[in-house]
Amino acid sequence: MKISIGCDHIVTEMKDHLVGYLKDKGYEVIDNGTYDKERTHYPIYGKKTAEKVVTGEADLGITICGTGVGISASANKVKGIRAALVGDVETARYAKSHLNANVLAMGGRILGIGVIEEAIDTFLETEYEETEESKKLIEQIDSISMNDESLNDEHYFDEFIEKWNNGGYPTT
Amino acid sequence: MKVAIGNDSNGIELKEHLKAHVEELGYEVIDSTPDKDFNLFEAATEISKVVNEGKADRGIVIDEYGVGSFMVANKYKGIVCANVFDEHSAKMTVRHNNASIITIGSGIVGKKLAEKICESFLHAEYDGGRHQIRVDMLNKMC
């Protein structure tokens, strides 16, 4: 199984640890970055990680940032993604078994590494179990009208990055 | 500040509890799912709509795990939603992500913690500053 993983600069070391953790368990890993502690922007990595899953390059995704919110919100804004932000193992299990979630997200500044590893193990090992209710919910989620203009567009955020580089945003 | 609150069939009891608590905190509460037969998709869709139309400033959605409503709300353009299980995340997601909606799992989060989560969420304000570029990126998506 191939796992796509991404993070922002707040939790790079935790992501690096998880890349090793997954490889040791025999998973193939696509590490979408970020790769250092230099300040960057979580939607870049949420989008990249999610797109690997949507295109079939990876089977499932994992995203982490400080609270997990920003990077998982950006993953969910990719058409075809059902990203689950969880704080415990049981919610990770439910998200996969009932909603067939394809990205798992957690807050690196919220949870300890024990819960994170256990939630990942559970998420990857749990099978989707279709019921009438789950089928209906997934169909409803997938029916939400979303554009796919951003898919695999590496320049999708250029206008904002250019503005940032030109001092158009505050840095504090 | 107006707060829209909604639930699916698993979230009714906690919703009623939180409605009373949020009103006691001095906020105007709009119950957006007064009927009992909403599923989490319908509840999260309704709250997203109410917030996007400016009929409420912030929204709270309750289902059994919080995670389904979280998926749904983030699919709507202009919505940043957080599935929250602690007070710190409730505060930080407003300060850093400018989140307008939180979801709470009635089967995961107890009443007292849910009260505190709502307080942290409603008392927090967006920091702006360097966080704006990320919020601009999120708002361009979907």
Side-chain angles (χ1 to χ4, degrees), chain A residues 39-42 69 72 76-78 81 83-85 87 90 94 110 140 146-147 156 159 169-170 172, chain B residues 39 41 65 67 70-71 74-76 79 82-83 85 89 93 97 129-130 133-134 136-138 140-142:
Chain A
R39 183 181 283 166
T40 181
H41 314 296
Y42 53 73
V69 176
S72 59
N76 258 323
K77 289 183 179 297
V78 174
I81 289 296
L85 173 58
E90 170 58 12
Y94 162 83
I110 306 299
Q140 285 180 309
M146 295 176 76
N147 69 56
Y156 193 66
E159 57 184 302
Y169 284 105
T172 56
Chain B
N39 73 13
F41 171 84
Y65 291 87
V67 74
F70 162 82
M71 273 179 203
N74 280 307
K75 295 284 178 197
Y76 294 106
I79 296 290
N83 181 28
F85 25 81
S89 295
T93 193
N97 309 119
R130 71 179 185 278
I133 179 174
R134 296 135 192 185
D136 284 349
M137 288 172 166
L138 286 175
K140 188 184 178 187
M141 298 183 82
C142 82

Side-chain angles (χ1 to χ4, degrees), chain A residues 149-162:
Chain A
E149 63 182 25
S150 66
L151 193 65
N152 288 333
D153 180 356
E154 286 179 15
H155 300 288
Y156 193 66
F157 296 134
D158 278 4
E159 57 184 302
F160 306 118
I161 292 166
E162 199 175 314

Side-chain angles (χ1 to χ4, degrees), chain A residues 51-64:
Chain A
E51 284 175 353
K52 300 289 193 309
V53 177
V54 168
T55 59
E57 212 175 313
D59 300 290
L60 294 168
I62 295 168
T63 54
I64 47 170

Side-chain angles (χ1 to χ4, degrees), chain A residues 64-151:
Chain A
I64 47 170
C65 65
T67 58
V69 176
I71 199 161
S72 59
S74 64
N76 258 323
K77 289 183 179 297
V78 174
K79 193 177 169 72
I81 289 296
R82 287 182 301 281
L85 173 58
V86 311
D88 62 282
V89 174
E90 170 58 12
T91 304
R93 189 203 57 75
Y94 162 83
K96 184 73 170 300
S97 69
H98 203 76
L99 301 169
N100 203 13
N102 48 17
V103 171
L104 178 69
M106 289 161 291
R109 283 198 173 175
I110 306 299
L111 303 179
I113 197 67
V115 174
I116 290 178
E117 289 178 354
E118 184 73 21
I120 288 174
D121 289 348
T122 301
F123 182 73
L124 298 180
E125 288 161 17
T126 298
E127 298 285 337
Y128 170 54
E129 294 164 24
E130 187 175 279
T131 62
E132 278 308 308
E133 191 201 6
S134 68
K135 190 167 171 255
K136 183 183 172 192
L137 278 173
I138 291 169
E139 280 171 4
Q140 285 180 309
I141 294 169
D142 290 345
S143 75
I144 297 171
S145 168
M146 295 176 76
N147 69 56
D148 51 9
E149 63 182 25
S150 66
L151 193 65

